[in-house]
Amino acid sequence: MTAPTLVIGNKNYSSWSLRAWLFLHASGVNFEERRVPLDTPTFKATMAELSPTGCVPVLLDGTARVWEALAICEYMNDKHTLAGWPTEEGARAMALAICHEMHAGFAALREELPMNCRARRTGVNPSAAARRDLDRVMAIWEGCRSRCAENGAFLFGAFGIADAMYAPVVLRCITYGVELSARASGYAAALLAHPSLQAWIAAARAEPEVIGHEERGSEVSA
Amino acid sequence: MTAPTLVIGNKNYSSWSLRAWLFLHASGVNFEERRVPLDTPTFKATMAELSPTGCVPVLLDGTARVWEALAICEYMNDKHTLAGWPTEEGARAMALAICHEMHAGFAALREELPMNCRARRTGVNPSAAARRDLDRVMAIWEGCRSRCAENGAFLFGAFGIADAMYAPVVLRCITYGVELSARASGYAAALLAHPSLQAWIAAARAEPEVIGHEERGSEVSA
């Protein structure tokens, strides 16, 4: 069986690519990776051939194509019987809900604090809407950790799809210096230490492309 | 076992409520329904007690709470082993992808053509962005129907989660007189004839509340 190919954007910038990649990589499932850098003259034409939405990420699995990061996680979770969801019913319900909430929501947070793994930014003041988004994310992390703290360091104990979905928010908090509660900070540290996320960040730091107004000089080591 | 309660908004206006309700109702699974009318002085306080996001729909299942319409569908599909997803792998991949695409996308379409089951509107001219959304929806319906036409009248043959997710778009096309291709029109007619959707529309027409600038006099029979 040929391994599926996950098509992703720049590791430094593409938060949706990170979500799908992180779950697959952390789960140990076999997949190839193809990087299509964003914001280049050929991006649009290349992606138009790979995905009906023209966006990254997309998974090419034989004749099947799966787009939308959460759909990719669920597809691979089901196909390979991975441990993406908690087994306990109430925790599983919460995990499904917060993953879909992340997938469809937090527009202000995503707009104002774009992912930029390797950068550190000061002086970014979130709007009231982005602040509400951040407060809601903190409430989610607190709620999950207070419920599942005895089972492990991640949102529902063991690493799962929910952690993949919120990983870019952890990276944004670091990039923009968002103040975290003790519990949220502990979660962020645990996720940041995950070998798969570390591998992603290392690759992001090695990428040559710079998009927009990023000043490479402002970067510090993670 | 106590039946879960699905908390919904007005049937005339709440497209996300329709998605969750329609899948549960069409699947024949046992559930209670609680309607919390939108845009009332008590809505916010009532919903704050029922869901961490304060939004409809939310499913109350014992101590478990599930918010986000697609999460509710997936939770109940798994718990009761319903037939929400196609069984064939490629079709299942596509169903997952288009459901997540609907859940997270089509912002212009949702903003400019709000659901209003019982109304018929003329003179609404979609923006270029909303037009692109509609074109993409049509491409999805065409793609699904050309793939699965021999298995039944719905997107993947038999009724499933994908039909529930796109049902409000069918209703919007009717309300705003969106021109459909023959194949898309056939799909819309099949979905509209589904007894569960008919029951929802009948209840929407019987609701007393009028929100915003709706002119009741402009209504015609569906």
Side-chain angles (χ1 to χ4, degrees), chain A residues 77-189:
Chain A
N77 188 62
D78 288 347
K79 178 167 178 173
H80 299 283
T81 324
L82 307 176
W85 300 117
T87 48
E88 191 268 311
E89 183 175 281
R92 184 188 165 86
M94 190 189 282
L96 273 165
I98 67 165
C99 284
H100 284 83
E101 187 178 350
M102 179 72 245
H103 189 246
F106 302 117
L109 167 60
R110 284 153 52 188
E111 168 74 22
E112 295 177 33
L113 307 179
M115 191 174 94
N116 189 331
C117 293
R118 62 191 174 216
R120 297 297 176 271
R121 291 276 174 273
T122 54
V124 174
N125 291 310
S127 67
R131 193 66 247 172
R132 277 194 300 275
D133 284 352
L134 281 167
D135 289 347
R136 173 68 189 135
V137 168
M138 295 309 133
I140 288 170
W141 292 355
E142 295 267 345
C144 291
R145 292 300 303 144
S146 69
R147 179 189 184 108
C148 300
E150 71 279 12
N151 302 327
F154 298 103
L155 286 177
F156 295 95
F159 183 92
I161 294 174
D163 301 293
M165 291 298 288
Y166 283 89
V169 184
V170 164
L171 296 183
R172 286 172 163 109
C173 288
I174 294 167
T175 294
Y176 298 97
V178 175
E179 209 168 303
L180 302 178
S181 70
R183 197 175 255 151
S185 178
Y187 168 63

Side-chain angles (χ1 to χ4, degrees), chain B residues 176-188:
Chain B
Y176 298 97
V178 174
E179 209 167 305
L180 302 178
S181 69
R183 197 175 253 151
S185 178
Y187 169 63

Side-chain angles (χ1 to χ4, degrees), chain A residues 52-53 61 63-68 70-71 74-75 78-79 85 89-90 92-94 96-98 100-104 110 136 140 147, chain B residues 52-53 61 63-68 70-71 74-75 78-79 85 89-90 92-94 96-98 100-104 110 136 140 147:
Chain A
T53 63
D61 187 23
T63 59
R65 291 180 184 199
V66 195
W67 56 100
E68 301 288 337
L70 183 50
E74 294 191 326
Y75 172 81
D78 288 347
K79 178 167 178 173
W85 300 117
E89 183 175 281
R92 184 188 165 86
M94 190 189 282
L96 273 165
I98 67 165
H100 284 83
E101 187 178 350
M102 179 72 245
H103 189 246
R110 284 153 52 188
R136 173 68 189 135
I140 288 170
R147 179 189 184 108
Chain B
T53 62
D61 187 21
T63 58
R65 291 180 183 199
V66 195
W67 56 99
E68 301 287 336
L70 184 50
E74 294 192 325
Y75 171 82
D78 288 346
K79 178 166 177 173
W85 300 117
E89 183 174 281
R92 185 189 164 86
M94 190 190 282
L96 273 165
I98 67 165
H100 284 84
E101 187 178 351
M102 179 72 245
H103 190 246
R110 286 154 51 189
R136 173 70 189 134
I140 289 171
R147 180 189 183 107

Side-chain angles (χ1 to χ4, degrees), chain A residues 30 44 50 58 83 89 101 126 133 147-148 153 186 188 213 215 218:
Chain A
N30 195 21
K44 202 172 166 177
L50 297 173
V58 61
E89 183 175 281
E101 187 178 350
D133 284 352
R147 179 189 184 108
C148 300
H213 300 294
E215 292 168 359
S218 73

